[in-house]
């Protein structure tokens, strides 16, 4: 159960994407900070390099020297598509390492042999962008891995994550070599992959499929944004598969899974479905993104549909000594002032609160919300922090927000802004 509260935070559009040949359009995910306070992200359109469509960009937003002045946007890379061996259409944002290098995925492009509707589109890529040695120079892009065939993965989806050894982990919505009934146009049901860096400088990164999803009773179509625990076990969600939901035409309402590393070298990773969503029991359905750990090792996430009113949920899964995970619905969206159908995952605050975005709201352009942790087992408090208003404000938030050191939240919208191509925004208490 949860109660509602109202606390209008102040919002500022930091940047409106202009689209066309010189700028990005439609942010592909959220934003990340570097140590200097710059923001980075990707757009899945814009740049003008793939006529008649566009391949997308990676961008930087630099804060102003004087408070109140505009932020400065720089396009760091314009993707050129599979005709140039480059990626096409970022699906998810970027992550940043301690040296300031950016890493992300594109859903298409690269040198792979994937064909969609009779056209070779490539199977997707994992890329790295390295900053210049001198300020003002050009960033350098390298394709770390180009998925060669659907068996290795097809259409990378969502954010990547590093382990302590420098390996990258991610998910592809299709491919992986298992399952045949997940989509009429794409092969297989999705995969979780590991990318290991070369042992010698200048060598190639090595990919390994850790799990290929098999569909219905297993999960299918995994979301990116995987998380790792202290033992290296991977946790994530699939948007379909699992319980056979009648209203989903039998494709399943999604799962939460874990992948445990092999005990001995040469063995396979072991997958376990720890929760199958079942909206017939007022559960959620169709998780749109990965999960986050809270301070007690519980997993928190969102679903797009299901719940008490059918508009999605915020859920928590708690482990037990016998290996069974128990779900608690922290909030069910009502379809009224809060509308619902979140399109992204959650961010955990230092005080244990959960923050996210959802569609709809009073202005039908989406909201930024917070869920405050109950005191002594009480009720979670849902707060509409800010209701987006549509152009020239943002419209359609589809990425989780991130905090700065002062407790302000930063996020993106796929639409709205001065040109209708999306925004980067800040909300502050």
């Amino acid at each position: 159960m949860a109660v509602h509260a109202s606390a209008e935070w102040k919002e500022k559009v930091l940047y409106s994407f202009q689209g066309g040949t010189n700028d990005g359009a439609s942010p592909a995910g959220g934003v990340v900070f570097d140590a200097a306070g710059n923001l980075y992200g990707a757009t899945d359109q814009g740049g003008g390099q793939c006529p008649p469509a566009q391949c997308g960009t990676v961008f930087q937003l630099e804060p102003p020297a004087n408070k109140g002045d505009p932020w400065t946007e720089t396009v760091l890379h314009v993707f050129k598509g599979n005709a140039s061996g480059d990626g096409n259409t970022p699906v998810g944002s970027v992550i940043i390492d301690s040296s300031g290098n950016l890493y992300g995925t594109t859903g298409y492009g690269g040198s792979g042999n994937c064909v969609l509707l009779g056209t070779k589109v490539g199977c997707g890529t994992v890329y790295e962008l390295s900053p210049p040695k001198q300020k003002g120079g050009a960033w350098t892009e390298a394709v770390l891995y180009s998925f060669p065939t659907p068996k290795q993965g097809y259409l990378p989806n969502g954010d990547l994550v590093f382990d302590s050894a420098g390996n990258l982990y991610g998910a592809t919505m299709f491919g992986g070599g298992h399952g045949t009934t997940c989509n009429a146009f794409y092969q297989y049901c999705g995969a979780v992959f590991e990318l290991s860096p070369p042992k010698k400088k200048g060598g190639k990164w090595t990919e390994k499929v850790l799990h290929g999803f098999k569909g219905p009773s297993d999960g299918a179509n995994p979301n990116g944004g995987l998380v790792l625990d202290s033992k290296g076990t991977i946790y994530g969600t699939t948007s379909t598969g699992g319980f056979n939901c009648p209203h989903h035409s039998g494709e399943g309402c999604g799962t939460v899974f874990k992948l445990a590393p092999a005990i001995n070298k040469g063995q396979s990773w072991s997958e376990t479905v720890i929760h199958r969503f079942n909206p017939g029991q007022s559960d959620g359905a169709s998780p749109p993104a990965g999960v986050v750990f809270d301070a007690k090792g519980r997993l928190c996430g969102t679903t797009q549909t299901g719940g008490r009113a059918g508009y999605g949920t915020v859920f928590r899964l708690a482990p037990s000594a016998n290996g069974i995970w128990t779900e608690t619905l922290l909030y069910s969206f009502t379809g009224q002032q809060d509308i619902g159908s979140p399109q992204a995952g959650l961010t955990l605050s230092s005080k244990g609160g959960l923050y996210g975005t959802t569609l709809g709201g009073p202005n039908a352009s989406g909201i930024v919300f917070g869920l405050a942790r109950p005191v002594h087992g009480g009720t979670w408090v849902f707060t509409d922090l800010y209701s987006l208003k549509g152009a020239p404000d943002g419209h359609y938030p589809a990425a989780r927000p991130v905090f700065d050191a002062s407790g302000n939240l930063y996020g993106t919208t796929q639409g709205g802004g001065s040109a209708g191509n999306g925004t980067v925004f800040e909300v502050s208490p």
Side-chain angles (χ1 to χ4, degrees):
M1 292 291 291
V3 296
H4 285 250
S6 179
E8 184 80 354
W9 287 24
K10 296 178 181 178
E11 188 248 15
K12 181 180 181 180
V13 173
L14 303 182
Y15 187 72
S16 290
F17 293 96
Q18 300 303 300
T21 58
N22 297 318
D23 197 11
S26 185
V31 288
V32 296
F33 278 104
D34 69 8
N38 300 302
L39 289 169
Y40 299 87
T43 67
D44 63 23
Q45 293 293 311
Q49 289 293 317
C50 299
Q54 296 173 335
C55 286
T57 71
V58 178
F59 65 88
Q60 176 198 66
L61 276 178
E62 183 178 359
N66 300 312
K67 188 175 182 180
D69 287 348
W71 288 56
T72 302
E73 191 235 18
T74 303
V75 175
L76 304 181
H77 182 69
V78 176
F79 292 98
K80 299 175 179 62
N82 60 296
S84 300
D86 196 9
N88 178 357
T89 315
V91 185
S93 189
V94 293
I95 61 173
I96 189 167
D97 68 13
S98 58
S99 300
N101 302 299
L102 304 174
Y103 301 82
T105 63
T106 64
Y108 302 98
S111 57
N113 67 4
C114 293
V115 175
L116 181 64
L117 300 176
T119 301
K120 183 180 177 181
V121 295
C123 304
T125 71
V126 176
Y127 64 86
E128 175 188 12
L129 272 174
S130 300
K133 293 181 179 179
Q134 295 182 348
K135 188 174 182 179
W139 287 59
T140 303
E141 189 231 16
V143 175
L144 301 183
Y145 186 72
S146 184
F147 293 87
T149 76
K151 284 190 175 182
Q152 287 78 33
Y154 185 3
L155 212 166
N157 177 33
D159 297 349
L160 298 165
V161 62
F162 274 111
D163 69 8
S164 58
N167 301 301
L168 281 168
Y169 298 87
T172 63
M173 186 174 292
F174 302 101
H178 295 282
T180 58
T181 59
C182 292
N183 189 278
F185 302 104
Y186 295 85
Q187 293 92 348
Y188 310 122
C189 292
V192 171
F193 64 87
E194 175 190 61
L195 265 185
S196 300
K199 295 181 179 180
K200 294 182 179 180
K201 189 175 181 179
K204 294 183 178 181
W205 288 62
T206 304
E207 192 239 16
K208 180 181 180 181
V209 174
L210 303 182
H211 181 71
F213 292 91
K214 301 173 181 63
S217 62
D218 190 13
N221 310 125
N223 298 300
L226 305 170
V227 294
L228 282 72
D229 67 13
S230 59
K231 297 180 180 179
T233 300
I234 297 169
Y235 296 82
T237 66
T238 66
S239 59
T240 64
F243 181 78
N244 187 12
C245 300
H247 66 286
H248 276 211
S249 303
E251 69 180 9
C253 283
T255 71
V256 182
F257 64 87
K258 74 173 186 177
L259 269 173
I263 298 174
N264 299 309
K265 189 175 181 179
Q267 292 181 332
S268 299
W269 287 55
S270 175
E271 187 237 13
T272 304
V273 176
I274 62 176
H275 184 72
R276 291 178 172 89
F277 292 98
N278 183 356
Q281 299 176 1
S282 296
D283 195 5
S286 304
V291 288
V292 295
F293 278 111
D294 69 9
K296 295 184 177 180
R298 299 171 295 194
L299 297 170
C300 302
T302 62
T303 65
Q304 297 180 73
T305 61
R308 298 182 185 92
Y311 287 90
T313 68
V314 176
F315 67 88
R316 184 179 68 200
L317 287 169
S320 62
N322 62 7
I324 295 175
W325 292 68
T326 302
E327 187 200 33
T328 301
L329 285 186
L330 304 182
Y331 186 72
S332 282
F333 292 94
T334 65
Q336 299 176 24
Q337 287 294 89
D338 62 356
I339 299 294
S341 299
Q343 304 296 297
L346 300 166
T347 295
L348 184 74
S349 75
S350 59
K351 296 181 180 179
L354 297 169
Y355 293 79
T357 60
T358 187
L359 304 184
N363 305 309
S365 289
I367 65 172
V368 181
F369 70 85
L371 268 177
R373 187 176 61 180
V375 179
H376 305 305
T379 301
W380 285 75
V381 178
F382 178 92
T383 303
D384 178 349
L385 302 177
Y386 181 75
S387 296
L388 294 156
K389 298 176 174 60
D393 195 9
H395 173 77
Y396 202 97
R400 68 184 185 93
V402 296
F403 280 104
D404 68 8
S406 300
N408 305 304
L409 282 169
Y410 297 77
T412 63
T413 64
Q414 293 188 349
S418 61
N421 291 312
T423 69
V424 177
F425 65 87
E426 173 193 8
V427 290
S428 54

